[in-house]
Amino acid sequence: MLSSILSRASCATCKFCCSFRRQSLWETPLFPLKVVEKLSLPNEYGVVGEFRAVVDPQKSCAGRLVLENNYRTADPEEEVSCTFLDPQKGCILKPEDKPFDCSIWPLRIMNKDGELVIALTPTCPSIGAVPSQALNELIKSGLGEKILEYAKEHPYIIKDYRAGFPIIYL
Ligand code: SF4
Ligand code: SF4
């Protein structure tokens, strides 16, 4: 959804958002139950994922991809890749199976003092730590509303606000 402002060339060499240090495990992908059922069993991608159930306050369910068992060292900087990342091709999932959260990265929907806000994860090297005019315009021209609507239907994607994440107002 951010392809118009993300640099393909940067993404091809980066893949930062598809690998996780232990301190980033709160960001591992969240999948709707229907997709979890498909990806937990042998499937068209030839890769089976391990998921943990997530239930939000509105009792909607999802599955969080489990990567904790994949670390090989005690180094806190060690990164493990998402199960569905091909090192050459990138994400192997079709758009219909790709988590919404992944498709809006580096944007996040967060709960700040009881209010839903759209925030920018400041670590994407392509977009940068400060919302650009192009990003602000994209959000104001419909993407922001789309994210809010999805979050209302799938509240498990709403994360607690984290300091240092710039908020983008609609
Ligand atoms: S962190 Fe940013 S630049 Fe890197 S792969 Fe993800 S979207 Fe692309
Ligand atoms: S599901 Fe795809 S886009 Fe999301 S983290 Fe995994 S490889 Fe990356």
Side-chain angles (χ1 to χ4, degrees), residues 29-63:
L30 288 160
F31 294 78
L33 280 190
K34 228 171 130 182
V35 182
V36 169
E37 283 164 12
K38 174 177 171 179
L39 299 180
S40 303
L41 297 170
N43 56 64
E44 70 205 75
Y45 302 111
V47 183
V48 172
E50 184 187 351
F51 299 89
R52 178 182 308 119
V54 172
V55 183
D56 61 47
Q58 290 184 33
K59 309 273 186 254
S60 63
C61 291

PDB file of all heavy atoms in Angstrom, residues 29-63:
ATOM      1  N   PRO A  29       4.503 -10.965  12.482  1.00  0.00           N
ATOM      2  CA  PRO A  29       3.225 -10.809  11.762  1.00  0.00           C
ATOM      3  C   PRO A  29       2.034 -11.474  12.446  1.00  0.00           C
ATOM      4  O   PRO A  29       2.152 -12.549  13.020  1.00  0.00           O
ATOM      5  CB  PRO A  29       3.503 -11.463  10.408  1.00  0.00           C
ATOM      6  CG  PRO A  29       4.965 -11.561  10.284  1.00  0.00           C
ATOM      7  CD  PRO A  29       5.540 -11.605  11.655  1.00  0.00           C
ATOM      8  N   LEU A  30       0.905 -10.799  12.333  1.00  0.00           N
ATOM      9  CA  LEU A  30      -0.379 -11.288  12.859  1.00  0.00           C
ATOM     10  C   LEU A  30      -1.268 -11.665  11.683  1.00  0.00           C
ATOM     11  O   LEU A  30      -1.477 -10.864  10.776  1.00  0.00           O
ATOM     12  CB  LEU A  30      -1.058 -10.173  13.649  1.00  0.00           C
ATOM     13  CG  LEU A  30      -0.425  -9.834  14.987  1.00  0.00           C
ATOM     14  CD1 LEU A  30      -0.853  -8.441  15.420  1.00  0.00           C
ATOM     15  CD2 LEU A  30      -0.822 -10.853  16.029  1.00  0.00           C
ATOM     16  N   PHE A  31      -1.783 -12.884  11.718  1.00  0.00           N
ATOM     17  CA  PHE A  31      -2.588 -13.392  10.602  1.00  0.00           C
ATOM     18  C   PHE A  31      -4.012 -13.671  11.063  1.00  0.00           C
ATOM     19  O   PHE A  31      -4.218 -14.226  12.154  1.00  0.00           O
ATOM     20  CB  PHE A  31      -2.005 -14.708  10.080  1.00  0.00           C
ATOM     21  CG  PHE A  31      -0.656 -14.592   9.437  1.00  0.00           C
ATOM     22  CD1 PHE A  31       0.494 -14.479  10.203  1.00  0.00           C
ATOM     23  CD2 PHE A  31      -0.526 -14.626   8.057  1.00  0.00           C
ATOM     24  CE1 PHE A  31       1.747 -14.387   9.609  1.00  0.00           C
ATOM     25  CE2 PHE A  31       0.718 -14.541   7.453  1.00  0.00           C
ATOM     26  CZ  PHE A  31       1.856 -14.421   8.232  1.00  0.00           C
ATOM     27  N   PRO A  32      -4.997 -13.380  10.199  1.00  0.00           N
ATOM     28  CA  PRO A  32      -6.377 -13.778  10.513  1.00  0.00           C
ATOM     29  C   PRO A  32      -6.462 -15.306  10.627  1.00  0.00           C
ATOM     30  O   PRO A  32      -5.683 -16.018   9.988  1.00  0.00           O
ATOM     31  CB  PRO A  32      -7.186 -13.290   9.307  1.00  0.00           C
ATOM     32  CG  PRO A  32      -6.300 -12.359   8.567  1.00  0.00           C
ATOM     33  CD  PRO A  32      -4.882 -12.707   8.909  1.00  0.00           C
ATOM     34  N   LEU A  33      -7.417 -15.783  11.403  1.00  0.00           N
ATOM     35  CA  LEU A  33      -7.496 -17.222  11.677  1.00  0.00           C
ATOM     36  C   LEU A  33      -7.593 -18.084  10.419  1.00  0.00           C
ATOM     37  O   LEU A  33      -7.005 -19.154  10.346  1.00  0.00           O
ATOM     38  CB  LEU A  33      -8.694 -17.526  12.575  1.00  0.00           C
ATOM     39  CG  LEU A  33      -8.492 -17.265  14.061  1.00  0.00           C
ATOM     40  CD1 LEU A  33      -9.649 -17.840  14.857  1.00  0.00           C
ATOM     41  CD2 LEU A  33      -7.163 -17.829  14.557  1.00  0.00           C
ATOM     42  N   LYS A  34      -8.342 -17.584   9.424  1.00  0.00           N
ATOM     43  CA  LYS A  34      -8.494 -18.361   8.193  1.00  0.00           C
ATOM     44  C   LYS A  34      -7.128 -18.620   7.536  1.00  0.00           C
ATOM     45  O   LYS A  34      -6.855 -19.721   7.036  1.00  0.00           O
ATOM     46  CB  LYS A  34      -9.380 -17.574   7.213  1.00  0.00           C
ATOM     47  CG  LYS A  34     -10.482 -18.387   6.593  1.00  0.00           C
ATOM     48  CD  LYS A  34     -11.395 -17.474   5.847  1.00  0.00           C
ATOM     49  CE  LYS A  34     -11.631 -18.010   4.455  1.00  0.00           C
ATOM     50  NZ  LYS A  34     -12.470 -17.142   3.681  1.00  0.00           N
ATOM     51  N   VAL A  35      -6.285 -17.607   7.557  1.00  0.00           N
ATOM     52  CA  VAL A  35      -4.953 -17.755   6.946  1.00  0.00           C
ATOM     53  C   VAL A  35      -4.068 -18.631   7.838  1.00  0.00           C
ATOM     54  O   VAL A  35      -3.280 -19.444   7.352  1.00  0.00           O
ATOM     55  CB  VAL A  35      -4.314 -16.367   6.703  1.00  0.00           C
ATOM     56  CG1 VAL A  35      -2.957 -16.511   6.024  1.00  0.00           C
ATOM     57  CG2 VAL A  35      -5.232 -15.508   5.854  1.00  0.00           C
ATOM     58  N   VAL A  36      -4.232 -18.490   9.167  1.00  0.00           N
ATOM     59  CA  VAL A  36      -3.466 -19.336  10.095  1.00  0.00           C
ATOM     60  C   VAL A  36      -3.759 -20.811   9.821  1.00  0.00           C
ATOM     61  O   VAL A  36      -2.851 -21.644   9.757  1.00  0.00           O
ATOM     62  CB  VAL A  36      -3.817 -18.994  11.564  1.00  0.00           C
ATOM     63  CG1 VAL A  36      -3.246 -20.030  12.529  1.00  0.00           C
ATOM     64  CG2 VAL A  36      -3.294 -17.610  11.920  1.00  0.00           C
ATOM     65  N   GLU A  37      -5.046 -21.114   9.631  1.00  0.00           N
ATOM     66  CA  GLU A  37      -5.430 -22.518   9.379  1.00  0.00           C
ATOM     67  C   GLU A  37      -4.738 -23.035   8.125  1.00  0.00           C
ATOM     68  O   GLU A  37      -4.265 -24.156   8.075  1.00  0.00           O
ATOM     69  CB  GLU A  37      -6.953 -22.623   9.231  1.00  0.00           C
ATOM     70  CG  GLU A  37      -7.657 -22.560  10.573  1.00  0.00           C
ATOM     71  CD  GLU A  37      -9.146 -22.262  10.434  1.00  0.00           C
ATOM     72  OE1 GLU A  37      -9.679 -22.326   9.306  1.00  0.00           O
ATOM     73  OE2 GLU A  37      -9.758 -21.942  11.461  1.00  0.00           O
ATOM     74  N   LYS A  38      -4.662 -22.190   7.109  1.00  0.00           N
ATOM     75  CA  LYS A  38      -4.028 -22.599   5.847  1.00  0.00           C
ATOM     76  C   LYS A  38      -2.516 -22.767   6.016  1.00  0.00           C
ATOM     77  O   LYS A  38      -1.935 -23.756   5.566  1.00  0.00           O
ATOM     78  CB  LYS A  38      -4.329 -21.531   4.781  1.00  0.00           C
ATOM     79  CG  LYS A  38      -3.631 -21.721   3.474  1.00  0.00           C
ATOM     80  CD  LYS A  38      -4.088 -20.633   2.506  1.00  0.00           C
ATOM     81  CE  LYS A  38      -3.266 -20.646   1.250  1.00  0.00           C
ATOM     82  NZ  LYS A  38      -3.705 -19.611   0.299  1.00  0.00           N
ATOM     83  N   LEU A  39      -1.876 -21.798   6.688  1.00  0.00           N
ATOM     84  CA  LEU A  39      -0.413 -21.798   6.748  1.00  0.00           C
ATOM     85  C   LEU A  39       0.152 -22.730   7.817  1.00  0.00           C
ATOM     86  O   LEU A  39       1.357 -22.973   7.862  1.00  0.00           O
ATOM     87  CB  LEU A  39       0.099 -20.364   6.979  1.00  0.00           C
ATOM     88  CG  LEU A  39      -0.254 -19.344   5.892  1.00  0.00           C
ATOM     89  CD1 LEU A  39       0.308 -17.966   6.237  1.00  0.00           C
ATOM     90  CD2 LEU A  39       0.269 -19.786   4.530  1.00  0.00           C
ATOM     91  N   SER A  40      -0.721 -23.242   8.698  1.00  0.00           N
ATOM     92  CA  SER A  40      -0.266 -24.180   9.744  1.00  0.00           C
ATOM     93  C   SER A  40      -0.145 -25.602   9.217  1.00  0.00           C
ATOM     94  O   SER A  40       0.340 -26.482   9.916  1.00  0.00           O
ATOM     95  CB  SER A  40      -1.258 -24.226  10.911  1.00  0.00           C
ATOM     96  OG  SER A  40      -1.449 -22.969  11.445  1.00  0.00           O
ATOM     97  N   LEU A  41      -0.652 -25.824   8.027  1.00  0.00           N
ATOM     98  CA  LEU A  41      -0.656 -27.163   7.416  1.00  0.00           C
ATOM     99  C   LEU A  41       0.116 -27.088   6.099  1.00  0.00           C
ATOM    100  O   LEU A  41       0.348 -25.985   5.583  1.00  0.00           O
ATOM    101  CB  LEU A  41      -2.105 -27.589   7.140  1.00  0.00           C
ATOM    102  CG  LEU A  41      -2.990 -27.743   8.371  1.00  0.00           C
ATOM    103  CD1 LEU A  41      -4.443 -27.920   7.950  1.00  0.00           C
ATOM    104  CD2 LEU A  41      -2.528 -28.923   9.220  1.00  0.00           C
ATOM    105  N   PRO A  42       0.523 -28.240   5.552  1.00  0.00           N
ATOM    106  CA  PRO A  42       1.174 -28.185   4.235  1.00  0.00           C
ATOM    107  C   PRO A  42       0.328 -27.369   3.260  1.00  0.00           C
ATOM    108  O   PRO A  42      -0.900 -27.539   3.205  1.00  0.00           O
ATOM    109  CB  PRO A  42       1.250 -29.668   3.840  1.00  0.00           C
ATOM    110  CG  PRO A  42       1.329 -30.382   5.148  1.00  0.00           C
ATOM    111  CD  PRO A  42       0.454 -29.592   6.090  1.00  0.00           C
ATOM    112  N   ASN A  43       0.947 -26.460   2.536  1.00  0.00           N
ATOM    113  CA  ASN A  43       0.198 -25.499   1.720  1.00  0.00           C
ATOM    114  C   ASN A  43       0.932 -25.212   0.413  1.00  0.00           C
ATOM    115  O   ASN A  43       2.025 -25.738   0.182  1.00  0.00           O
ATOM    116  CB  ASN A  43      -0.018 -24.207   2.523  1.00  0.00           C
ATOM    117  CG  ASN A  43       1.303 -23.634   2.993  1.00  0.00           C
ATOM    118  OD1 ASN A  43       2.140 -23.235   2.172  1.00  0.00           O
ATOM    119  ND2 ASN A  43       1.542 -23.621   4.299  1.00  0.00           N
ATOM    120  N   GLU A  44       0.351 -24.368  -0.398  1.00  0.00           N
ATOM    121  CA  GLU A  44       0.923 -24.074  -1.720  1.00  0.00           C
ATOM    122  C   GLU A  44       2.304 -23.436  -1.667  1.00  0.00           C
ATOM    123  O   GLU A  44       3.037 -23.462  -2.660  1.00  0.00           O
ATOM    124  CB  GLU A  44      -0.036 -23.140  -2.469  1.00  0.00           C
ATOM    125  CG  GLU A  44      -0.082 -21.739  -1.882  1.00  0.00           C
ATOM    126  CD  GLU A  44      -1.381 -21.012  -2.182  1.00  0.00           C
ATOM    127  OE1 GLU A  44      -2.396 -21.340  -1.559  1.00  0.00           O
ATOM    128  OE2 GLU A  44      -1.354 -20.127  -3.037  1.00  0.00           O
ATOM    129  N   TYR A  45       2.666 -22.836  -0.519  1.00  0.00           N
ATOM    130  CA  TYR A  45       3.962 -22.158  -0.442  1.00  0.00           C
ATOM    131  C   TYR A  45       5.103 -23.117  -0.085  1.00  0.00           C
ATOM    132  O   TYR A  45       6.268 -22.751  -0.150  1.00  0.00           O
ATOM    133  CB  TYR A  45       3.899 -21.033   0.601  1.00  0.00           C
ATOM    134  CG  TYR A  45       2.819 -20.016   0.295  1.00  0.00           C
ATOM    135  CD1 TYR A  45       1.695 -19.920   1.102  1.00  0.00           C
ATOM    136  CD2 TYR A  45       2.922 -19.182  -0.812  1.00  0.00           C
ATOM    137  CE1 TYR A  45       0.695 -19.007   0.828  1.00  0.00           C
ATOM    138  CE2 TYR A  45       1.923 -18.261  -1.099  1.00  0.00           C
ATOM    139  CZ  TYR A  45       0.815 -18.176  -0.275  1.00  0.00           C
ATOM    140  OH  TYR A  45      -0.168 -17.267  -0.564  1.00  0.00           O
ATOM    141  N   GLY A  46       4.742 -24.315   0.362  1.00  0.00           N
ATOM    142  CA  GLY A  46       5.769 -25.284   0.742  1.00  0.00           C
ATOM    143  C   GLY A  46       6.446 -24.946   2.056  1.00  0.00           C
ATOM    144  O   GLY A  46       7.518 -25.477   2.364  1.00  0.00           O
ATOM    145  N   VAL A  47       5.867 -24.056   2.836  1.00  0.00           N
ATOM    146  CA  VAL A  47       6.425 -23.668   4.134  1.00  0.00           C
ATOM    147  C   VAL A  47       5.296 -23.661   5.159  1.00  0.00           C
ATOM    148  O   VAL A  47       4.247 -23.055   4.915  1.00  0.00           O
ATOM    149  CB  VAL A  47       7.033 -22.237   4.080  1.00  0.00           C
ATOM    150  CG1 VAL A  47       7.679 -21.888   5.405  1.00  0.00           C
ATOM    151  CG2 VAL A  47       8.048 -22.111   2.958  1.00  0.00           C
ATOM    152  N   VAL A  48       5.520 -24.327   6.275  1.00  0.00           N
ATOM    153  CA  VAL A  48       4.493 -24.383   7.318  1.00  0.00           C
ATOM    154  C   VAL A  48       4.921 -23.473   8.471  1.00  0.00           C
ATOM    155  O   VAL A  48       6.072 -23.508   8.913  1.00  0.00           O
ATOM    156  CB  VAL A  48       4.307 -25.837   7.804  1.00  0.00           C
ATOM    157  CG1 VAL A  48       3.390 -25.896   9.021  1.00  0.00           C
ATOM    158  CG2 VAL A  48       3.758 -26.700   6.671  1.00  0.00           C
ATOM    159  N   GLY A  49       4.004 -22.638   8.921  1.00  0.00           N
ATOM    160  CA  GLY A  49       4.313 -21.715  10.010  1.00  0.00           C
ATOM    161  C   GLY A  49       3.829 -22.236  11.358  1.00  0.00           C
ATOM    162  O   GLY A  49       2.971 -23.106  11.424  1.00  0.00           O
ATOM    163  N   GLU A  50       4.412 -21.662  12.413  1.00  0.00           N
ATOM    164  CA  GLU A  50       3.952 -21.977  13.770  1.00  0.00           C
ATOM    165  C   GLU A  50       3.326 -20.699  14.325  1.00  0.00           C
ATOM    166  O   GLU A  50       3.924 -19.620  14.212  1.00  0.00           O
ATOM    167  CB  GLU A  50       5.153 -22.409  14.623  1.00  0.00           C
ATOM    168  CG  GLU A  50       4.773 -22.848  16.026  1.00  0.00           C
ATOM    169  CD  GLU A  50       6.007 -23.096  16.900  1.00  0.00           C
ATOM    170  OE1 GLU A  50       7.145 -23.091  16.391  1.00  0.00           O
ATOM    171  OE2 GLU A  50       5.800 -23.253  18.118  1.00  0.00           O
ATOM    172  N   PHE A  51       2.158 -20.819  14.916  1.00  0.00           N
ATOM    173  CA  PHE A  51       1.424 -19.631  15.348  1.00  0.00           C
ATOM    174  C   PHE A  51       0.972 -19.768  16.796  1.00  0.00           C
ATOM    175  O   PHE A  51       0.754 -20.874  17.291  1.00  0.00           O
ATOM    176  CB  PHE A  51       0.175 -19.427  14.465  1.00  0.00           C
ATOM    177  CG  PHE A  51       0.507 -19.221  13.015  1.00  0.00           C
ATOM    178  CD1 PHE A  51       0.628 -20.314  12.157  1.00  0.00           C
ATOM    179  CD2 PHE A  51       0.725 -17.959  12.504  1.00  0.00           C
ATOM    180  CE1 PHE A  51       0.955 -20.142  10.821  1.00  0.00           C
ATOM    181  CE2 PHE A  51       1.050 -17.783  11.167  1.00  0.00           C
ATOM    182  CZ  PHE A  51       1.163 -18.868  10.320  1.00  0.00           C
ATOM    183  N   ARG A  52       0.831 -18.614  17.426  1.00  0.00           N
ATOM    184  CA  ARG A  52       0.274 -18.562  18.786  1.00  0.00           C
ATOM    185  C   ARG A  52      -1.010 -17.746  18.706  1.00  0.00           C
ATOM    186  O   ARG A  52      -1.048 -16.691  18.050  1.00  0.00           O
ATOM    187  CB  ARG A  52       1.265 -17.868  19.713  1.00  0.00           C
ATOM    188  CG  ARG A  52       0.773 -17.711  21.138  1.00  0.00           C
ATOM    189  CD  ARG A  52       1.763 -16.970  22.023  1.00  0.00           C
ATOM    190  NE  ARG A  52       3.082 -17.566  21.949  1.00  0.00           N
ATOM    191  CZ  ARG A  52       4.180 -16.944  21.520  1.00  0.00           C
ATOM    192  NH1 ARG A  52       4.111 -15.683  21.107  1.00  0.00           N
ATOM    193  NH2 ARG A  52       5.345 -17.543  21.496  1.00  0.00           N
ATOM    194  N   ALA A  53      -2.052 -18.225  19.397  1.00  0.00           N
ATOM    195  CA  ALA A  53      -3.330 -17.516  19.344  1.00  0.00           C
ATOM    196  C   ALA A  53      -3.222 -16.160  20.055  1.00  0.00           C
ATOM    197  O   ALA A  53      -2.576 -16.032  21.086  1.00  0.00           O
ATOM    198  CB  ALA A  53      -4.420 -18.354  19.999  1.00  0.00           C
ATOM    199  N   VAL A  54      -3.850 -15.178  19.463  1.00  0.00           N
ATOM    200  CA  VAL A  54      -3.925 -13.837  20.053  1.00  0.00           C
ATOM    201  C   VAL A  54      -5.400 -13.490  20.143  1.00  0.00           C
ATOM    202  O   VAL A  54      -6.131 -13.649  19.171  1.00  0.00           O
ATOM    203  CB  VAL A  54      -3.231 -12.801  19.133  1.00  0.00           C
ATOM    204  CG1 VAL A  54      -3.466 -11.397  19.616  1.00  0.00           C
ATOM    205  CG2 VAL A  54      -1.754 -13.102  19.018  1.00  0.00           C
ATOM    206  N   VAL A  55      -5.829 -13.043  21.310  1.00  0.00           N
ATOM    207  CA  VAL A  55      -7.227 -12.646  21.470  1.00  0.00           C
ATOM    208  C   VAL A  55      -7.226 -11.220  21.996  1.00  0.00           C
ATOM    209  O   VAL A  55      -6.573 -10.917  22.989  1.00  0.00           O
ATOM    210  CB  VAL A  55      -7.969 -13.567  22.461  1.00  0.00           C
ATOM    211  CG1 VAL A  55      -9.431 -13.176  22.559  1.00  0.00           C
ATOM    212  CG2 VAL A  55      -7.836 -15.024  22.041  1.00  0.00           C
ATOM    213  N   ASP A  56      -7.929 -10.328  21.298  1.00  0.00           N
ATOM    214  CA  ASP A  56      -7.936  -8.933  21.728  1.00  0.00           C
ATOM    215  C   ASP A  56      -9.145  -8.665  22.629  1.00  0.00           C
ATOM    216  O   ASP A  56      -9.987  -9.545  22.820  1.00  0.00           O
ATOM    217  CB  ASP A  56      -7.899  -8.005  20.512  1.00  0.00           C
ATOM    218  CG  ASP A  56      -9.111  -8.206  19.626  1.00  0.00           C
ATOM    219  OD1 ASP A  56     -10.226  -8.256  20.159  1.00  0.00           O
ATOM    220  OD2 ASP A  56      -8.928  -8.312  18.408  1.00  0.00           O
ATOM    221  N   PRO A  57      -9.244  -7.457  23.179  1.00  0.00           N
ATOM    222  CA  PRO A  57     -10.340  -7.180  24.119  1.00  0.00           C
ATOM    223  C   PRO A  57     -11.725  -7.377  23.519  1.00  0.00           C
ATOM    224  O   PRO A  57     -12.685  -7.617  24.236  1.00  0.00           O
ATOM    225  CB  PRO A  57     -10.111  -5.714  24.505  1.00  0.00           C
ATOM    226  CG  PRO A  57      -8.670  -5.462  24.217  1.00  0.00           C
ATOM    227  CD  PRO A  57      -8.309  -6.347  23.074  1.00  0.00           C
ATOM    228  N   GLN A  58     -11.850  -7.275  22.199  1.00  0.00           N
ATOM    229  CA  GLN A  58     -13.174  -7.497  21.583  1.00  0.00           C
ATOM    230  C   GLN A  58     -13.384  -8.957  21.213  1.00  0.00           C
ATOM    231  O   GLN A  58     -14.289  -9.301  20.456  1.00  0.00           O
ATOM    232  CB  GLN A  58     -13.319  -6.612  20.349  1.00  0.00           C
ATOM    233  CG  GLN A  58     -13.444  -5.147  20.715  1.00  0.00           C
ATOM    234  CD  GLN A  58     -13.691  -4.312  19.480  1.00  0.00           C
ATOM    235  OE1 GLN A  58     -14.328  -4.736  18.533  1.00  0.00           O
ATOM    236  NE2 GLN A  58     -13.165  -3.100  19.492  1.00  0.00           N
ATOM    237  N   LYS A  59     -12.485  -9.820  21.685  1.00  0.00           N
ATOM    238  CA  LYS A  59     -12.594 -11.281  21.492  1.00  0.00           C
ATOM    239  C   LYS A  59     -12.420 -11.697  20.035  1.00  0.00           C
ATOM    240  O   LYS A  59     -12.898 -12.741  19.624  1.00  0.00           O
ATOM    241  CB  LYS A  59     -13.950 -11.813  22.009  1.00  0.00           C
ATOM    242  CG  LYS A  59     -14.288 -11.382  23.428  1.00  0.00           C
ATOM    243  CD  LYS A  59     -13.690 -12.345  24.412  1.00  0.00           C
ATOM    244  CE  LYS A  59     -14.123 -12.051  25.839  1.00  0.00           C
ATOM    245  NZ  LYS A  59     -13.130 -11.458  26.668  1.00  0.00           N
ATOM    246  N   SER A  60     -11.796 -10.841  19.207  1.00  0.00           N
ATOM    247  CA  SER A  60     -11.500 -11.322  17.866  1.00  0.00           C
ATOM    248  C   SER A  60     -10.152 -12.045  17.932  1.00  0.00           C
ATOM    249  O   SER A  60      -9.270 -11.658  18.701  1.00  0.00           O
ATOM    250  CB  SER A  60     -11.468 -10.178  16.848  1.00  0.00           C
ATOM    251  OG  SER A  60     -10.448  -9.281  17.133  1.00  0.00           O
ATOM    252  N   CYS A  61     -10.020 -13.103  17.157  1.00  0.00           N
ATOM    253  CA  CYS A  61      -8.847 -13.965  17.266  1.00  0.00           C
ATOM    254  C   CYS A  61      -7.951 -13.846  16.048  1.00  0.00           C
ATOM    255  O   CYS A  61      -8.401 -13.567  14.951  1.00  0.00           O
ATOM    256  CB  CYS A  61      -9.271 -15.412  17.398  1.00  0.00           C
ATOM    257  SG  CYS A  61     -10.052 -15.728  18.952  1.00  0.00           S
ATOM    258  N   ALA A  62      -6.688 -14.080  16.277  1.00  0.00           N
ATOM    259  CA  ALA A  62      -5.723 -14.086  15.192  1.00  0.00           C
ATOM    260  C   ALA A  62      -4.588 -14.995  15.625  1.00  0.00           C
ATOM    261  O   ALA A  62      -4.615 -15.564  16.716  1.00  0.00           O
ATOM    262  CB  ALA A  62      -5.220 -12.670  14.941  1.00  0.00           C
ATOM    263  N   GLY A  63      -3.609 -15.141  14.753  1.00  0.00           N
ATOM    264  CA  GLY A  63      -2.439 -15.925  15.116  1.00  0.00           C
ATOM    265  C   GLY A  63      -1.175 -15.110  14.905  1.00  0.00           C
ATOM    266  O   GLY A  63      -1.036 -14.438  13.884  1.00  0.00           O
TER     267      GLY A  63
END
